[in-house]
């Protein structure tokens, strides 16, 4: 029996036709003249996420050959009248030939055995028996889903199919192959495209995986009232939380450890077939109590490593206790965890129990840097020296990248390295795919093959993918995808010395390519795809178009070419502002930035990247999955220019007691225009930018003082409302105007409460989902408006800044949140009402400023921003004051002035 994880990849022509010198007796006739095989046994009964024909083998053979094979139960099979058969599942034929092997196979394994008169397709489980059928269709008929979209399904036509005799045991090298956030056609996230063949990734049971789980074992519902000491200490107080995005429980508390051990044992008792239990840290940090901090210690040292692993010794001191207890009660079971969140490297001073499987969280997308490659190989080797089994957790992102991020060769190198050096051969994989298939092309399809056989030839796989998908136009498309991968390496030097804005820190730092997310959401990724190289790729796409003769091939080329337009537009935009970016990071003042900004406008492609992206996502979300790249250089420079000219002037006048809106706006615009270089030609593009800057400088609204507070009923029938409309609004990640978004707003106060009224017209409102009150925690994913308020806080660290956020949504849903001294869960909304009519939805809000410490008696003005979400899962933000990264940035604000 031939074995190996997919080692028998071969060209379809060799398997589909009778090659010269091969006698018919050495092949199985699936379909040949009057001969048509019969399917015997248990056909696939699909489950999630597959949505296709129940008898998949029968359906696709018919699509490929035009012949519908008879399908019978084994009890009805008659060998005399059915001389050629395909036995599917645990048939007596499979038991007779492979019974002993089936009883000892790993649950991932399956057998494809071809004899002159019959075929056996059987797996260790019902799911892997399905994989054997997929394998049969792929290897012998060329039927495959090369990407999860109707255009990705390839079903070649055959009049005759004779299959060479062979027997294969397919056994994957990586024992877990989990893909998350697939973005298939017809599915918003995971799942598969209806009617196409899934890949060989476990969906019903996964052997090993790791995620943020520890908080689920110490739930608030069970222990919040009785044992606050089980929960994390933050800023000197116990924080009663079981959110995966908040701090983890107090793992120095021996009672917490005892409870976790008991619950893990209970899980194994209730799931005797389970091989592992996931015990990962949360995504929000660690307990700060003295006992937990005393457990901290150094991680091993890796020269040149910039990864913070200061919590490794604490985490593994805890995890070792669990692992020892489980080895005693359930020997052979594995505790999986994450090499993540300051636990990326092994602890230096303590051993790691051998039944622990860390999943090392990183990306190979930046391995074009030799130092990054060396560092992560050393980190991996340090783990391989300490554990018997290991997992790879890869950020395989396509989403939110404006460039194709293909790195199959580097991925193959790493998978081979891990598998080759593992002590036990027990290796696993989990990938956050977040696919943009129009960018990713063959990347994920190749990865699936490498997880079965890391020794597979990446170039051969790329050729096979392109020849199947593009047929007569394959040659230039092979060069296209190979060029995309090489460009990462060829242009890597352009990233040297780059400074990059870090949204969650609110500042710029030197680019760190060892960051586990790589270049994700970093605009400097476009340095790898300069306009001249993008033009070369466009030429290859044009060559493919010229060679295509079939309509389906033309459609597939356009699927990728239309997506690559995003790269073209984003690259031209980024490189138009090269001089602006350099000055921005070197600390230039507003006058110098203004000169560079206006110069860049004349070099700019007129296409708005964000608008183009949103149109593409609305048409077909599989091509690109957003939000789009942060074009932060321009956005940050624009914001800095306005804040250091108009903003400074407004603050000075407010301090002097000026509270007249027209006077403030006039002074703000005058201060802004004072830094426009003399003698500028003022082209049409430059005039548009200056008009946009003047609009930003005018972001001042008044909240008159009232003696007659409004009734919060959503009707707006009180005379106090002084409505304003300021246009344009801005696309929040690009600082580009959106002239179509119109929002009316009005404010008032009575010394304690701030009253807010907004009316939000939206043309497609009837087609939008309604956010019901029970869905309030996801209000931003619906048509909604986000209101941000804060006071200026000189000298306060950015992660401690206090702000308040309120989000009323179409349909009645509402949420509020905050940060800093205001707290994560403020309760300042005294009343709100959300109503609607045929053309718009509207909201009235009553905000208790005393709860927030923002009373008008203490603050003459507040900083304010409003963000309109139009739907589309939170990726459709339009902002009143531009926000280049995150809405909650305190610098992304205009001014709300209180009337006296």
């Amino acid at each position: 029996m031939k074995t190996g994880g997919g080692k028998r990849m071969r060209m379809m022509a060799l398997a589909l036709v009778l090659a010269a010198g091969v006698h018919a007796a050495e092949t199985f006739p699936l379909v040949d003249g009057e001969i048509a095989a019969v399917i015997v046994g248990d056909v696939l009964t699909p489950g999630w996420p597959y949505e296709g024909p129940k008898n998949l083998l029968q359906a696709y053979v018919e699509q490929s050959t035009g012949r519908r094979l008879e399908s019978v139960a084994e009890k009805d099979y008659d060998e005399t009248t059915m001389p050629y058969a395909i036995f599917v599942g645990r048939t007596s034929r499979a038991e007779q030939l492979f019974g002993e092997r089936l009883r000892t196979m790993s649950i991932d394994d399956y057998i494809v055995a071809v004899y002159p008169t019959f075929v056996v397709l059987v797996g260790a489980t019902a799911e892997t028996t399905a994989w054997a059928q997929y394998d049969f269709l792929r290897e012998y008929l060329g039927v495959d889903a090369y990407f999860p979209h109707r255009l990705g399904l390839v079903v070649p036509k055959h009049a005759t199919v004779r299959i060479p005799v062979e027997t294969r045991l397919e056994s994957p090298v990586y024992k877990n192959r989990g893909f998350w956030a697939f973005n298939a056609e017809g599915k918003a996230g995971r799942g598969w495209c209806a009617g196409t063949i899934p890949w060989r990734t476990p969906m019903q049971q996964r052997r090993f995986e790791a995620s943020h789980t520890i908080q689920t074992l110490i739930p608030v519902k069970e222990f919040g009232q009785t044992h606050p000491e089980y929960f994390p200490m933050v800023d000197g107080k116990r924080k009663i939380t079981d959110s995966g995005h908040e701090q983890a429980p107090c793992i120095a508390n021996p009672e917490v450890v005892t409870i976790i051990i008991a619950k893990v044992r209970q899980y194994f008792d209730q799931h005797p077939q389970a091989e592992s239990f996931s015990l990962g840290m949360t995504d929000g940090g660690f307990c700060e109590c003295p006992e937990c901090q005393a457990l901290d210690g150094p991680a091993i040292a890796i020269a040149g490593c910039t990864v913070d692993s200061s919590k490794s010794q604490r985490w593994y001191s805890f995890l070792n206790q669990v692992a020892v207890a489980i080895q005693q009660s359930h020997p052979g079971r594995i505790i999986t965890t994450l090499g993540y969140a300051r636990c990326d490297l092994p602890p230096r001073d303590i051993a790691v129990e051998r039944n622990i499987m860390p999943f090392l969280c990183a990306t190979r997308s930046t391995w074009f840097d030799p130092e990054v490659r060396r560092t992560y190989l050393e980190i991996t080797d340090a783990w391989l020296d300490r554990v018997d089994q290991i997992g790879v957790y890869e950020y395989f992102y396509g989403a939110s990248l404006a460039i194709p991020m293909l790195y199959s060769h580097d991925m193959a190198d790493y998978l081979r390295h891990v598998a080759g050096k593992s002590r036990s051969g027990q290796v696993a994989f989990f990938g956050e795919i977040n696919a943009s298939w129009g960018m990713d092309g063959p990347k994920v399809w190749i990865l699936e093959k490498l997880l079965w056989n890391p020794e597979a030839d990446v170039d051969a796989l790329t050729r096979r993918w392109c020849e199947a998908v593009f047929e007569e136009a394959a040659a230039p498309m092979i060069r296209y995808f190979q060029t995309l991968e090489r460009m990462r390496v060829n242009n890597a030097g352009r990233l040297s010395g780059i400074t990059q804005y870090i949204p969650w820190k609110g500042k710029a730092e030197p680019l760190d390519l060892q960051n586990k997310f790589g270049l994700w959401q970093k605009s400097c990724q476009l340095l790898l795809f300069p306009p001249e190289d993008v033009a070369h790729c466009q030429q290859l796409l044009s060559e493919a178009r010229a060679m295509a003769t079939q309509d389906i091939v033309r459609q597939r080329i356009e699927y990728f070419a239309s997506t690559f337009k995003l790269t073209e537009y984003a690259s031209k935009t980024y490189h138009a502002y090269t001089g602006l970016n350099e000055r921005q990071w070197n600390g230039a003042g507003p006058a110098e930035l203004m000169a560079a900004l206006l110069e860049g406008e004349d070099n700019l492609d007129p296409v708005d990247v964000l608008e183009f992206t949103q149109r593409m996502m609305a048409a077909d979300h599989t091509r690109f999955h957003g939000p789009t790249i942060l074009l932060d250089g321009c956005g940050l420079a624009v914001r800095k220019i306005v804040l250091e000219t108009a903003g400074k002037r407004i603050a000075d006048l407010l301090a002097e007691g000026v509270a007249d809106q027209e006077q403030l706006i006039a002074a703000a615009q005058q201060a802004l225009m004072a830094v426009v270089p003399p003698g500028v030609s003022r082209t049409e593009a430059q005039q548009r930018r200056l008009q946009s800057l003047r609009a930003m400088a005018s972001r001042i609204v008044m909240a008159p003082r009232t003696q007659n507070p409004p009734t919060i009923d959503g009707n707006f029938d009180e005379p106090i409302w002084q409505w304003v409309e300021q246009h344009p609004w801005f696309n929040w990640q690009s600082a580009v105007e959106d002239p179509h978004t119109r929002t009316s707003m009005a404010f008032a106060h009575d010394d304690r409460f701030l009253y807010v009224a907004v009316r939000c017209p939206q043309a497609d409102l009837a087609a939008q989902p309604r956010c019901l009150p029970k869905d309030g925690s996801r209000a931003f994913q619906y048509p909604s408006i986000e209101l941000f308020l804060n006071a200026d806080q000189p000298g306060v660290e950015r992660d401690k800044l206090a702000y308040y956020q309120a989000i009323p949504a179409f349909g009645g849903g509402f949420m509020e949140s905050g940060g800093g001294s205001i707290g994560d869960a403020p309760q300042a909304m005294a009343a709100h009402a959300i109503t609607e009519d045929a053309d718009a939805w509207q909201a009235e809000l009553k905000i208790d400023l005393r709860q927030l410490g923002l009373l008008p008696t203490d603050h003459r003005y507040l900083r304010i921003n409003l963000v309109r979400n139009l739907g589309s899962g939170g990726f459709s933000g339009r902002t009143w004051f531009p926000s280049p990264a995150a809405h909650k940035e305190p610098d992304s604000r205009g001014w709300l002035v209180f009337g006296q």
Side-chain angles (χ1 to χ4, degrees), residues 48-51 148-149 178-194 198 201-203 206 209-211 393 430-435 437 621-622 625:
W48 182 89
Y50 176 71
E51 300 173 11
H149 186 279
F179 290 170
W180 179 78
F182 221 50
N183 191 32
E185 185 181 24
K187 302 284 186 179
R190 307 176 189 184
W192 199 266
C193 178
T201 54
M203 296 299 176
R206 289 186 177 141
E209 61 181 339
S211 58
Y393 195 114
F430 189 86
E432 292 189 15
I433 302 301
N434 287 296
W437 296 101
H621 67 82
T622 70
H625 187 46

Side-chain angles (χ1 to χ4, degrees), residues 537-550:
C537 292
Q538 292 286 20
Q539 178 60 37
L540 292 173
L541 291 168
S542 296
E543 291 178 24
R545 289 189 186 100
M547 295 175 68
T549 58
Q550 301 178 73

Side-chain angles (χ1 to χ4, degrees), residues 642 646-647 650 661-662 664-670 672 690-702 724-728 730 880-881 894-895:
V642 171
I650 291 168
Q661 184 180 26
E662 291 185 3
L664 290 169
I665 289 175
Q669 293 189 351
Q670 183 179 15
L672 170 74
L690 288 173
Q691 181 180 354
S692 173
L693 291 170
R694 282 193 293 267
M696 289 176 61
S698 304
R699 289 312 196 230
I700 304 166
V701 290
M702 308 300 294
V724 296
E725 286 189 12
Q726 290 183 316
H727 298 288
F730 299 88
W880 181 68
F881 195 94
W895 294 264

